[in-house]
Amino acid sequence: MLKAVKIRIYPTVAQQAHLAQAFGCVRWVWNQSLATMSATYQETGRGVTAMTMKKFIPLWKAEYKWLSECYSQCLQQSVLNLGVAFGNFFDGRAMYPTFKKRQGKQSIQYPQNVTVLSDREIKFPGKLGTVIAKVHRDIEGKVKTVTVSKNSDGRYFASMLVDDGIECPEPSSEGKLIGLDLGLTDFAVTSDGSKYQHPRATKKYEKNLARKQKKLARKKDKTTKNRRKAKLAVAKVHSKIKRVREDFLHKLSRKIVDENQVIVVENLAVRNLVKNHCLASSISDAGWGMFCTMLKYKAEMVGKIYLEIGRFFASTHLCSNTLKLLPSMDLSVRAFDCPHCGQRHDRDINAAINIKNEGLRLLALGTSVIAPEGYVRPKQYGRKSTTVAAVVVEGRSPRHSGTPLDGG
């Protein structure tokens, strides 16, 4: 089973200079390869494979001597990563690859020959050598790809992909099942009635961030040292916000996975939800997508089941007791009296129970048994359906299923 461990490293001044040069070499190879592949496709209509682009690296090294300062396998891995990026684009999983900038996050990959010497040292191949690190957990297994990155706030990390040789456990549904309703008033509400508040990191540090951004805006000359300091101060605030959010999401996801066997959530279209300019900032600060990703891989690692139900399932608009539709309610209504069963329901707990029940039906039957009115589908404007619903009619011939039998 493959596992990833992210470790903080502390390179010396000389090693930082070498990494800065290596980042530039890898970035240049990526941009040059992308430009070559794009131009070739526009001229000939045919693409260039990553293996073909790897053959250009020795030619570039002969022309640009400074490329030889970078470890050769890092340059080759940059071209291979570009090939993977194009594969993701053609499969519809990502956008078209873009050029890398010096101002963004910098990274290089070592595909092999990285050794963890102790909990304080990691040895890299090439001129980088041994780097001081804080290995906070035991590395058990074979170290495969290692990615060395530098964040915009100046911190260095090594993300290590480790193969521990243990097979992933078979998923089992024997145990407790829970439904999760994600929201903004309460970050997560469980079908058991528990509610979890998220830290709202952006709102907590927005005054500090605004103050640092205002100082940065006053620095008009982009070449001065003071502007670089102001830009670094802004990056540190953003990094703090990110760490606070990730810490909360990691702890909550670990708690939910440890306490439950089957976890059911909604398949949220976060990219579409943030188009609402009134709620975009709050939705982005919540980190729903990252939270679901954490739940999924943590559940799979221990043989538990992570299940997503359809995003059009009307979890909020159904009574959890009768499964009948409820009248439309404003978002300000957090509790209501059901007109069908007469009970008073908490809006979010009712939705979490519906999500749990829908997940239970999917596990037991493989499909939903909710009537079509239990789903909220988007309206289709300017379109006409070209499909005809299939209708089961008795007495039809298997060879002529489109017409009834004569005399039938």
Side-chain angles (χ1 to χ4, degrees):
M1 183 167 49
L2 296 176
K3 295 182 180 180
V5 181
K6 191 173 184 179
I7 298 171
R8 177 83 180 271
I9 61 176
Y10 302 88
T12 62
V13 176
Q15 289 172 338
Q16 291 181 19
H18 174 74
L19 284 174
Q21 188 175 17
F23 291 149
C25 294
V26 170
R27 185 175 62 248
W28 187 90
V29 170
W30 170 284
N31 293 340
Q32 191 72 10
S33 302
L34 177 58
T36 303
M37 297 171 76
S38 300
T40 303
Y41 181 79
Q42 292 177 357
E43 293 173 0
T44 64
R46 301 183 64 181
V48 182
T49 63
M51 300 304 296
T52 303
M53 290 305 306
K54 283 179 62 176
K55 300 178 182 179
F56 285 88
I57 295 179
L59 303 178
W60 292 335
K61 281 186 175 182
E63 184 177 358
Y64 305 101
K65 300 300 182 182
W66 43 268
L67 280 177
S68 300
E69 298 295 325
C70 181
Y71 188 57
S72 59
Q73 292 189 7
C74 294
L75 302 179
Q76 297 171 8
Q77 193 65 33
S78 175
V79 178
L80 296 178
N81 290 341
L82 180 59
V84 174
F86 270 107
N88 292 333
F89 166 71
F90 288 120
D91 291 342
R93 294 190 297 268
M95 303 295 289
Y96 191 84
T98 59
F99 293 103
K100 293 188 177 182
K101 300 179 181 179
R102 185 175 58 182
Q103 293 78 14
K105 180 180 179 180
Q106 307 298 315
S107 65
I108 57 175
Q109 275 192 353
Y110 292 88
Q112 58 184 358
N113 300 328
V114 178
T115 307
V116 180
L117 300 179
S118 64
D119 59 348
R120 295 291 298 171
E121 290 181 331
I122 299 177
K123 184 179 180 180
F124 292 90
K127 297 182 180 180
L128 184 57
T130 303
V131 181
I132 298 175
K134 186 177 181 181
V135 185
H136 58 281
R137 63 181 63 183
D138 295 334
I139 306 299
E140 300 177 354
K142 182 181 179 181
V143 178
K144 301 178 77 66
T145 303
V146 178
T147 302
V148 177
S149 60
K150 179 187 177 183
N151 291 349
S152 57
D153 60 351
R155 299 189 304 161
Y156 293 83
F157 293 92
S159 299
M160 312 184 72
L161 184 65
V162 182
D163 186 1
D164 58 6
I166 302 175
E167 294 293 333
C168 188
E170 291 293 332
S172 172
S173 60
E174 296 296 329
K176 183 180 178 181
L177 184 144
I178 193 172
L180 288 178
D181 179 58
L182 304 180
L184 295 177
T185 304
D186 299 295
F187 175 79
V189 179
T190 68
S191 54
D192 296 338
S194 301
K195 296 185 177 182
Y196 300 97
Q197 302 289 331
H198 62 89
R200 305 180 189 274
T202 302
K203 186 176 182 180
K204 181 178 180 180
Y205 294 98
E206 63 181 357
K207 291 184 178 179
N208 187 20
L209 180 61
R211 183 169 62 252
K212 299 294 177 58
Q213 288 176 333
K214 190 177 293 185
K215 290 182 179 180
L216 176 62
R218 295 195 186 105
K219 308 295 188 298
K220 301 300 182 181
D221 190 356
K222 296 185 179 181
T223 61
T224 61
K225 187 175 181 180
N226 287 335
R227 190 180 191 279
R228 289 196 294 269
K229 289 182 178 180
K231 188 175 182 180
L232 180 61
V234 173
K236 287 183 177 180
V237 178
H238 280 294
S239 178
K240 178 66 174 179
I241 293 172
K242 178 183 177 182
R243 295 199 306 271
V244 170
R245 182 187 302 116
E246 288 184 348
D247 179 72
F248 165 76
L249 297 179
H250 272 297
K251 289 178 179 178
L252 180 59
S253 59
R254 173 52 58 194
K255 174 182 173 62
I256 293 175
V257 170
D258 289 344
E259 295 178 353
N260 303 278
Q261 184 66 26
V262 181
I263 303 163
V264 187
V265 298
E266 287 182 295
N267 180 14
L268 299 174
V270 181
R271 183 177 297 181
N272 295 333
L273 293 174
V274 295
K275 293 179 181 179
N276 183 344
H277 66 278
C278 297
L279 301 175
S281 177
S282 299
I283 293 174
S284 300
D285 189 26
W288 293 335
M290 184 185 299
F291 179 68
C292 292
T293 301
M294 291 178 181
L295 284 176
K296 183 176 181 180
Y297 79 76
K298 290 179 181 179
E300 291 176 350
M301 288 175 60
V302 292
K304 298 186 178 182
I305 296 178
Y306 169 84
L307 185 63
E308 290 185 352
I309 66 173
R311 66 185 59 171
F312 300 119
F313 176 69
S315 58
T316 308
H317 305 283
L318 292 176
C319 173
S320 58
N321 291 337
T322 62
L323 295 182
K324 294 184 178 180
L325 281 174
L326 299 171
S328 59
M329 296 177 292
D330 190 76
L331 287 176
S332 60
V333 179
R334 309 313 306 172
F336 61 92
D337 294 321
C338 178
H340 307 292
C341 64
Q343 294 186 5
R344 186 166 184 82
H345 296 283
D346 182 280
R347 181 191 183 108
D348 298 328
I349 297 177
N350 176 75
I353 295 174
N354 284 328
I355 293 172
K356 172 187 175 181
N357 294 336
E358 178 71 359
L360 188 60
R361 286 187 287 267
L362 289 175
L363 280 177
L365 305 175
T367 183
S368 174
V369 296
I370 299 295
E373 59 267 16
Y375 288 81
V376 180
R377 297 192 177 274
K379 295 182 179 180
Q380 307 263 343
Y381 296 102
R383 293 184 184 180
K384 291 184 178 180
S385 175
T386 58
T387 59
V388 180
V391 180
V392 178
V393 179
E394 296 182 1
R396 294 196 176 187
S397 170
R399 296 179 57 186
H400 303 86
S401 57
T403 56
L405 293 172
D406 295 337

